[in-house]
PDB file of all heavy atoms in Angstrom:
ATOM      1  N   ARG A  97      24.407 110.801  85.252  1.00  0.00           N
ATOM      2  CA  ARG A  97      24.281 112.164  85.724  1.00  0.00           C
ATOM      3  C   ARG A  97      25.560 112.608  86.404  1.00  0.00           C
ATOM      4  O   ARG A  97      26.060 111.958  87.341  1.00  0.00           O
ATOM      5  CB  ARG A  97      23.103 112.267  86.709  1.00  0.00           C
ATOM      6  CG  ARG A  97      22.831 113.667  87.207  1.00  0.00           C
ATOM      7  CD  ARG A  97      21.722 113.694  88.231  1.00  0.00           C
ATOM      8  NE  ARG A  97      21.559 115.041  88.753  1.00  0.00           N
ATOM      9  CZ  ARG A  97      21.203 115.309  90.005  1.00  0.00           C
ATOM     10  NH1 ARG A  97      20.987 114.315  90.851  1.00  0.00           N
ATOM     11  NH2 ARG A  97      21.050 116.575  90.390  1.00  0.00           N
ATOM     12  N   ILE A  98      26.128 113.706  85.913  1.00  0.00           N
ATOM     13  CA  ILE A  98      27.401 114.212  86.436  1.00  0.00           C
ATOM     14  C   ILE A  98      27.119 115.427  87.324  1.00  0.00           C
ATOM     15  O   ILE A  98      26.575 116.433  86.855  1.00  0.00           O
ATOM     16  CB  ILE A  98      28.352 114.609  85.298  1.00  0.00           C
ATOM     17  CG1 ILE A  98      28.538 113.406  84.346  1.00  0.00           C
ATOM     18  CG2 ILE A  98      29.686 115.062  85.846  1.00  0.00           C
ATOM     19  CD1 ILE A  98      29.074 112.151  84.960  1.00  0.00           C
ATOM     20  N   VAL A  99      27.498 115.343  88.590  1.00  0.00           N
ATOM     21  CA  VAL A  99      27.284 116.427  89.536  1.00  0.00           C
ATOM     22  C   VAL A  99      28.553 116.599  90.377  1.00  0.00           C
ATOM     23  O   VAL A  99      29.397 115.724  90.450  1.00  0.00           O
ATOM     24  CB  VAL A  99      26.085 116.151  90.474  1.00  0.00           C
ATOM     25  CG1 VAL A  99      24.791 116.012  89.678  1.00  0.00           C
ATOM     26  CG2 VAL A  99      26.329 114.915  91.307  1.00  0.00           C
ATOM     27  N   GLU A 100      28.656 117.762  90.971  1.00  0.00           N
ATOM     28  CA  GLU A 100      29.755 118.031  91.898  1.00  0.00           C
ATOM     29  C   GLU A 100      29.402 117.469  93.259  1.00  0.00           C
ATOM     30  O   GLU A 100      28.321 117.694  93.793  1.00  0.00           O
ATOM     31  CB  GLU A 100      30.031 119.520  92.000  1.00  0.00           C
ATOM     32  CG  GLU A 100      31.258 119.863  92.804  1.00  0.00           C
ATOM     33  CD  GLU A 100      31.609 121.345  92.764  1.00  0.00           C
ATOM     34  OE1 GLU A 100      30.927 122.102  92.041  1.00  0.00           O
ATOM     35  OE2 GLU A 100      32.580 121.723  93.429  1.00  0.00           O
ATOM     36  N   THR A 101      30.316 116.705  93.833  1.00  0.00           N
ATOM     37  CA  THR A 101      30.076 116.082  95.111  1.00  0.00           C
ATOM     38  C   THR A 101      29.766 117.143  96.165  1.00  0.00           C
ATOM     39  O   THR A 101      30.498 118.126  96.325  1.00  0.00           O
ATOM     40  CB  THR A 101      31.311 115.278  95.561  1.00  0.00           C
ATOM     41  OG1 THR A 101      31.610 114.286  94.570  1.00  0.00           O
ATOM     42  CG2 THR A 101      31.046 114.591  96.897  1.00  0.00           C
ATOM     43  N   GLY A 102      28.638 116.953  96.868  1.00  0.00           N
ATOM     44  CA  GLY A 102      28.236 117.878  97.875  1.00  0.00           C
ATOM     45  C   GLY A 102      27.508 119.107  97.362  1.00  0.00           C
ATOM     46  O   GLY A 102      27.097 119.969  98.156  1.00  0.00           O
ATOM     47  N   ALA A 103      27.370 119.217  96.042  1.00  0.00           N
ATOM     48  CA  ALA A 103      26.694 120.389  95.446  1.00  0.00           C
ATOM     49  C   ALA A 103      25.894 119.937  94.237  1.00  0.00           C
ATOM     50  O   ALA A 103      26.079 120.450  93.144  1.00  0.00           O
ATOM     51  CB  ALA A 103      27.694 121.471  95.088  1.00  0.00           C
ATOM     52  N   GLU A 104      24.995 118.975  94.446  1.00  0.00           N
ATOM     53  CA  GLU A 104      24.260 118.390  93.328  1.00  0.00           C
ATOM     54  C   GLU A 104      23.418 119.403  92.575  1.00  0.00           C
ATOM     55  O   GLU A 104      23.140 119.244  91.396  1.00  0.00           O
ATOM     56  CB  GLU A 104      23.397 117.242  93.830  1.00  0.00           C
ATOM     57  CG  GLU A 104      24.187 116.026  94.275  1.00  0.00           C
ATOM     58  CD  GLU A 104      23.278 114.869  94.643  1.00  0.00           C
ATOM     59  OE1 GLU A 104      22.070 114.926  94.310  1.00  0.00           O
ATOM     60  OE2 GLU A 104      23.769 113.899  95.242  1.00  0.00           O
ATOM     61  N   GLY A 105      22.962 120.429  93.237  1.00  0.00           N
ATOM     62  CA  GLY A 105      22.110 121.426  92.584  1.00  0.00           C
ATOM     63  C   GLY A 105      22.872 122.447  91.759  1.00  0.00           C
ATOM     64  O   GLY A 105      22.277 123.219  91.014  1.00  0.00           O
ATOM     65  N   LYS A 106      24.192 122.459  91.861  1.00  0.00           N
ATOM     66  CA  LYS A 106      25.009 123.426  91.106  1.00  0.00           C
ATOM     67  C   LYS A 106      25.065 123.029  89.648  1.00  0.00           C
ATOM     68  O   LYS A 106      25.362 121.902  89.293  1.00  0.00           O
ATOM     69  CB  LYS A 106      26.437 123.451  91.685  1.00  0.00           C
ATOM     70  CG  LYS A 106      27.386 124.392  90.972  1.00  0.00           C
ATOM     71  CD  LYS A 106      28.767 124.315  91.589  1.00  0.00           C
ATOM     72  CE  LYS A 106      29.759 125.192  90.858  1.00  0.00           C
ATOM     73  NZ  LYS A 106      31.137 125.089  91.441  1.00  0.00           N
ATOM     74  N   VAL A 107      24.774 123.986  88.770  1.00  0.00           N
ATOM     75  CA  VAL A 107      24.803 123.726  87.330  1.00  0.00           C
ATOM     76  C   VAL A 107      26.244 123.543  86.880  1.00  0.00           C
ATOM     77  O   VAL A 107      27.109 124.359  87.201  1.00  0.00           O
ATOM     78  CB  VAL A 107      24.126 124.874  86.547  1.00  0.00           C
ATOM     79  CG1 VAL A 107      24.243 124.606  85.047  1.00  0.00           C
ATOM     80  CG2 VAL A 107      22.700 125.051  86.969  1.00  0.00           C
ATOM     81  N   LEU A 108      26.498 122.468  86.144  1.00  0.00           N
ATOM     82  CA  LEU A 108      27.843 122.212  85.618  1.00  0.00           C
ATOM     83  C   LEU A 108      27.798 122.169  84.089  1.00  0.00           C
ATOM     84  O   LEU A 108      27.042 121.391  83.501  1.00  0.00           O
ATOM     85  CB  LEU A 108      28.381 120.883  86.142  1.00  0.00           C
ATOM     86  CG  LEU A 108      28.656 120.750  87.646  1.00  0.00           C
ATOM     87  CD1 LEU A 108      29.218 119.365  87.953  1.00  0.00           C
ATOM     88  CD2 LEU A 108      29.621 121.832  88.105  1.00  0.00           C
ATOM     89  N   ALA A 109      28.599 123.012  83.462  1.00  0.00           N
ATOM     90  CA  ALA A 109      28.730 122.992  81.999  1.00  0.00           C
ATOM     91  C   ALA A 109      29.925 122.137  81.626  1.00  0.00           C
ATOM     92  O   ALA A 109      30.874 121.976  82.411  1.00  0.00           O
ATOM     93  CB  ALA A 109      28.937 124.427  81.477  1.00  0.00           C
ATOM     94  N   PRO A 110      29.937 121.542  80.408  1.00  0.00           N
ATOM     95  CA  PRO A 110      31.061 120.690  80.006  1.00  0.00           C
ATOM     96  C   PRO A 110      32.428 121.362  80.076  1.00  0.00           C
ATOM     97  O   PRO A 110      33.440 120.668  80.241  1.00  0.00           O
ATOM     98  CB  PRO A 110      30.699 120.303  78.566  1.00  0.00           C
ATOM     99  CG  PRO A 110      29.195 120.395  78.516  1.00  0.00           C
ATOM    100  CD  PRO A 110      28.861 121.546  79.410  1.00  0.00           C
ATOM    101  N   ALA A 111      32.446 122.689  79.956  1.00  0.00           N
ATOM    102  CA  ALA A 111      33.729 123.394  80.008  1.00  0.00           C
ATOM    103  C   ALA A 111      34.215 123.626  81.421  1.00  0.00           C
ATOM    104  O   ALA A 111      35.380 124.031  81.622  1.00  0.00           O
ATOM    105  CB  ALA A 111      33.594 124.755  79.287  1.00  0.00           C
ATOM    106  N   ASP A 112      33.373 123.369  82.429  1.00  0.00           N
ATOM    107  CA  ASP A 112      33.752 123.615  83.815  1.00  0.00           C
ATOM    108  C   ASP A 112      34.734 122.557  84.311  1.00  0.00           C
ATOM    109  O   ASP A 112      34.549 121.346  84.083  1.00  0.00           O
ATOM    110  CB  ASP A 112      32.530 123.604  84.719  1.00  0.00           C
ATOM    111  CG  ASP A 112      31.583 124.750  84.442  1.00  0.00           C
ATOM    112  OD1 ASP A 112      32.024 125.726  83.788  1.00  0.00           O
ATOM    113  OD2 ASP A 112      30.416 124.673  84.870  1.00  0.00           O
ATOM    114  N   LYS A 113      35.763 122.989  85.032  1.00  0.00           N
ATOM    115  CA  LYS A 113      36.730 122.050  85.595  1.00  0.00           C
ATOM    116  C   LYS A 113      36.045 121.079  86.546  1.00  0.00           C
ATOM    117  O   LYS A 113      36.401 119.868  86.556  1.00  0.00           O
ATOM    118  CB  LYS A 113      37.823 122.825  86.315  1.00  0.00           C
ATOM    119  CG  LYS A 113      38.877 121.944  86.971  1.00  0.00           C
ATOM    120  CD  LYS A 113      39.635 121.133  85.951  1.00  0.00           C
ATOM    121  CE  LYS A 113      40.767 120.331  86.593  1.00  0.00           C
ATOM    122  NZ  LYS A 113      41.484 119.491  85.622  1.00  0.00           N
ATOM    123  N   ALA A 114      35.092 121.530  87.307  1.00  0.00           N
ATOM    124  CA  ALA A 114      34.391 120.654  88.249  1.00  0.00           C
ATOM    125  C   ALA A 114      33.630 119.575  87.502  1.00  0.00           C
ATOM    126  O   ALA A 114      33.550 118.424  87.985  1.00  0.00           O
ATOM    127  CB  ALA A 114      33.438 121.465  89.122  1.00  0.00           C
ATOM    128  N   PHE A 115      33.070 119.909  86.355  1.00  0.00           N
ATOM    129  CA  PHE A 115      32.378 118.904  85.536  1.00  0.00           C
ATOM    130  C   PHE A 115      33.363 117.843  85.050  1.00  0.00           C
ATOM    131  O   PHE A 115      33.089 116.638  85.133  1.00  0.00           O
ATOM    132  CB  PHE A 115      31.705 119.574  84.349  1.00  0.00           C
ATOM    133  CG  PHE A 115      31.063 118.609  83.380  1.00  0.00           C
ATOM    134  CD1 PHE A 115      29.753 118.191  83.557  1.00  0.00           C
ATOM    135  CD2 PHE A 115      31.774 118.083  82.305  1.00  0.00           C
ATOM    136  CE1 PHE A 115      29.159 117.271  82.689  1.00  0.00           C
ATOM    137  CE2 PHE A 115      31.194 117.173  81.425  1.00  0.00           C
ATOM    138  CZ  PHE A 115      29.878 116.783  81.614  1.00  0.00           C
ATOM    139  N   GLN A 116      34.481 118.277  84.514  1.00  0.00           N
ATOM    140  CA  GLN A 116      35.462 117.337  83.982  1.00  0.00           C
ATOM    141  C   GLN A 116      36.022 116.423  85.078  1.00  0.00           C
ATOM    142  O   GLN A 116      36.217 115.214  84.848  1.00  0.00           O
ATOM    143  CB  GLN A 116      36.567 118.116  83.278  1.00  0.00           C
ATOM    144  CG  GLN A 116      36.075 118.873  82.058  1.00  0.00           C
ATOM    145  CD  GLN A 116      36.985 119.990  81.610  1.00  0.00           C
ATOM    146  OE1 GLN A 116      38.148 120.026  82.006  1.00  0.00           O
ATOM    147  NE2 GLN A 116      36.458 120.922  80.811  1.00  0.00           N
ATOM    148  N   THR A 117      36.245 116.985  86.243  1.00  0.00           N
ATOM    149  CA  THR A 117      36.725 116.176  87.369  1.00  0.00           C
ATOM    150  C   THR A 117      35.711 115.107  87.766  1.00  0.00           C
ATOM    151  O   THR A 117      36.032 113.932  87.916  1.00  0.00           O
ATOM    152  CB  THR A 117      37.038 117.054  88.569  1.00  0.00           C
ATOM    153  OG1 THR A 117      38.073 117.992  88.220  1.00  0.00           O
ATOM    154  CG2 THR A 117      37.497 116.224  89.777  1.00  0.00           C
ATOM    155  N   ALA A 118      34.453 115.515  87.896  1.00  0.00           N
ATOM    156  CA  ALA A 118      33.389 114.578  88.282  1.00  0.00           C
ATOM    157  C   ALA A 118      33.165 113.536  87.177  1.00  0.00           C
ATOM    158  O   ALA A 118      32.906 112.371  87.456  1.00  0.00           O
ATOM    159  CB  ALA A 118      32.102 115.350  88.564  1.00  0.00           C
ATOM    160  N   LEU A 119      33.273 113.972  85.932  1.00  0.00           N
ATOM    161  CA  LEU A 119      33.106 113.047  84.806  1.00  0.00           C
ATOM    162  C   LEU A 119      34.141 111.946  84.828  1.00  0.00           C
ATOM    163  O   LEU A 119      33.818 110.749  84.692  1.00  0.00           O
ATOM    164  CB  LEU A 119      33.216 113.840  83.496  1.00  0.00           C
ATOM    165  CG  LEU A 119      33.155 113.057  82.191  1.00  0.00           C
ATOM    166  CD1 LEU A 119      31.780 112.450  81.980  1.00  0.00           C
ATOM    167  CD2 LEU A 119      33.534 113.951  81.017  1.00  0.00           C
ATOM    168  N   LEU A 120      35.402 112.320  85.041  1.00  0.00           N
ATOM    169  CA  LEU A 120      36.458 111.308  85.059  1.00  0.00           C
ATOM    170  C   LEU A 120      36.347 110.398  86.276  1.00  0.00           C
ATOM    171  O   LEU A 120      36.694 109.221  86.201  1.00  0.00           O
ATOM    172  CB  LEU A 120      37.828 112.000  85.024  1.00  0.00           C
ATOM    173  CG  LEU A 120      38.145 112.725  83.708  1.00  0.00           C
ATOM    174  CD1 LEU A 120      39.456 113.467  83.807  1.00  0.00           C
ATOM    175  CD2 LEU A 120      38.187 111.731  82.537  1.00  0.00           C
ATOM    176  N   GLN A 121      35.847 110.904  87.369  1.00  0.00           N
ATOM    177  CA  GLN A 121      35.627 110.045  88.540  1.00  0.00           C
ATOM    178  C   GLN A 121      34.593 108.961  88.252  1.00  0.00           C
ATOM    179  O   GLN A 121      34.659 107.867  88.798  1.00  0.00           O
ATOM    180  CB  GLN A 121      35.169 110.897  89.734  1.00  0.00           C
ATOM    181  CG  GLN A 121      36.263 111.754  90.330  1.00  0.00           C
ATOM    182  CD  GLN A 121      35.769 112.678  91.425  1.00  0.00           C
ATOM    183  OE1 GLN A 121      34.565 112.923  91.543  1.00  0.00           O
ATOM    184  NE2 GLN A 121      36.681 113.209  92.210  1.00  0.00           N
ATOM    185  N   ARG A 122      33.659 109.277  87.363  1.00  0.00           N
ATOM    186  CA  ARG A 122      32.618 108.297  86.977  1.00  0.00           C
ATOM    187  C   ARG A 122      33.081 107.333  85.890  1.00  0.00           C
ATOM    188  O   ARG A 122      32.729 106.141  85.927  1.00  0.00           O
ATOM    189  CB  ARG A 122      31.361 109.023  86.453  1.00  0.00           C
ATOM    190  CG  ARG A 122      30.573 109.800  87.459  1.00  0.00           C
ATOM    191  CD  ARG A 122      29.932 108.943  88.544  1.00  0.00           C
ATOM    192  NE  ARG A 122      29.035 107.926  88.026  1.00  0.00           N
ATOM    193  CZ  ARG A 122      27.756 108.120  87.718  1.00  0.00           C
ATOM    194  NH1 ARG A 122      27.232 109.325  87.853  1.00  0.00           N
ATOM    195  NH2 ARG A 122      27.003 107.124  87.277  1.00  0.00           N
ATOM    196  N   LEU A 123      33.878 107.819  84.939  1.00  0.00           N
ATOM    197  CA  LEU A 123      34.114 107.035  83.719  1.00  0.00           C
ATOM    198  C   LEU A 123      35.530 106.513  83.535  1.00  0.00           C
ATOM    199  O   LEU A 123      35.719 105.561  82.784  1.00  0.00           O
ATOM    200  CB  LEU A 123      33.738 107.857  82.489  1.00  0.00           C
ATOM    201  CG  LEU A 123      32.267 108.222  82.353  1.00  0.00           C
ATOM    202  CD1 LEU A 123      32.031 109.054  81.103  1.00  0.00           C
ATOM    203  CD2 LEU A 123      31.430 106.962  82.280  1.00  0.00           C
TER     204      LEU A 123
END
Side-chain angles (χ1 to χ4, degrees):
R97 183 183 176 214
I98 305 302
V99 299
E100 186 173 358
T101 302
E104 291 186 12
K106 179 182 177 181
V107 178
L108 294 181
D112 294 342
K113 179 63 176 177
F115 175 89
Q116 296 160 17
T117 299
L119 175 68
L120 292 175
Q121 288 174 344
R122 291 294 302 276
L123 295 179

